[in-house]
Amino acid sequence: MTRATKISRVVFGLLVLATFFAFFAAQRLKQSGPLVYSISFKRYISPNDDDLREKGRVRFRTKKADRVTVTVVDRTSAPVRVLADDEKLPAGPHTFYWNGRFRGVVAKNGNKHPGEPVPDGAYRVRVSMRSNGRSFIPDQFFVVDTEPPIVSKVDADSDPALT
């Protein structure tokens, strides 16, 4: 038997062993209960400075205390805004708000700029719990819509439904 054959057999054996242990680790995670639950959203956001639906709310409960990062992500799971960065949260209810914008900045003169609105679309929240090494992305999502509705004048003579 050549040296290459021996090495390939050893590597194959290690891969089989790793797959075996990965299967049981996955089964254990499936059987463990959720760490984040009771999620609710105030999901429609219109960050266009008209004082209507300027921010959205996400509420959730955690079963255990942990260091938590709450991130708004786009459809590709790319981070858009961090709402909580490695904050120590106790077990229980938590509420976070998002204004539908990228991160704001503070100018040298102390004035705050709220940040630019994100593109219209759907955004999800990712809750990452550091000690447990787990992340959760709920099915609910924020809907950002900055386009004002188009109002058109209707002529009563041309529309019989209005007469």
Side-chain angles (χ1 to χ4, degrees):
M1 185 176 339
T2 67
R3 182 174 184 202
T5 304
K6 287 180 184 178
I7 291 174
S8 63
R9 286 184 179 179
V10 168
V11 170
F12 179 76
L14 290 173
L15 288 174
V16 168
L17 192 61
T19 303
F20 179 76
F21 284 113
F23 172 78
F24 285 104
Q27 291 303 317
R28 183 174 170 206
L29 279 176
K30 285 181 187 177
Q31 292 174 356
S32 66
L35 297 173
V36 177
Y37 61 100
S38 296
I39 296 175
S40 66
F41 277 74
K42 179 181 175 191
R43 59 187 241 171
Y44 294 100
I45 305 171
S46 179
N48 55 8
D49 298 323
D50 64 357
D51 292 329
L52 297 172
R53 299 184 189 264
E54 292 294 322
K55 62 184 174 180
R57 177 191 69 228
V58 59
R59 290 182 179 166
F60 60 88
R61 298 178 71 83
T62 54
K63 282 192 176 183
K64 298 179 180 179
D66 203 338
R67 298 205 70 82
V68 176
T69 299
V70 180
T71 309
V72 177
V73 298
D74 64 13
R75 288 186 183 269
T76 65
S77 295
V80 173
R81 179 82 183 264
V82 176
L83 304 179
D85 189 13
D86 201 34
E87 287 186 25
K88 181 154 180 60
L89 297 181
H94 307 287
T95 302
F96 293 92
Y97 294 92
W98 180 45
N99 63 359
R101 297 173 182 269
F102 293 107
R103 183 163 179 80
V105 294
V106 178
K108 290 181 181 179
N109 62 6
N111 292 340
K112 292 183 178 180
H113 183 276
E116 294 299 316
V118 298
D120 289 358
Y123 295 85
R124 296 193 185 276
V125 173
R126 178 175 54 218
V127 180
S128 301
M129 302 184 79
R130 183 166 53 145
S131 298
N132 289 291
R134 292 168 67 182
S135 290
F136 176 73
I137 300 177
D139 291 336
Q140 297 98 331
F141 51 88
F142 288 117
V143 175
V144 176
D145 183 11
T146 59
E147 290 293 319
I150 298 172
V151 179
S152 61
K153 184 177 178 182
V154 178
D155 185 11
D157 295 332
S158 64
D159 190 349
L162 296 176
T163 56

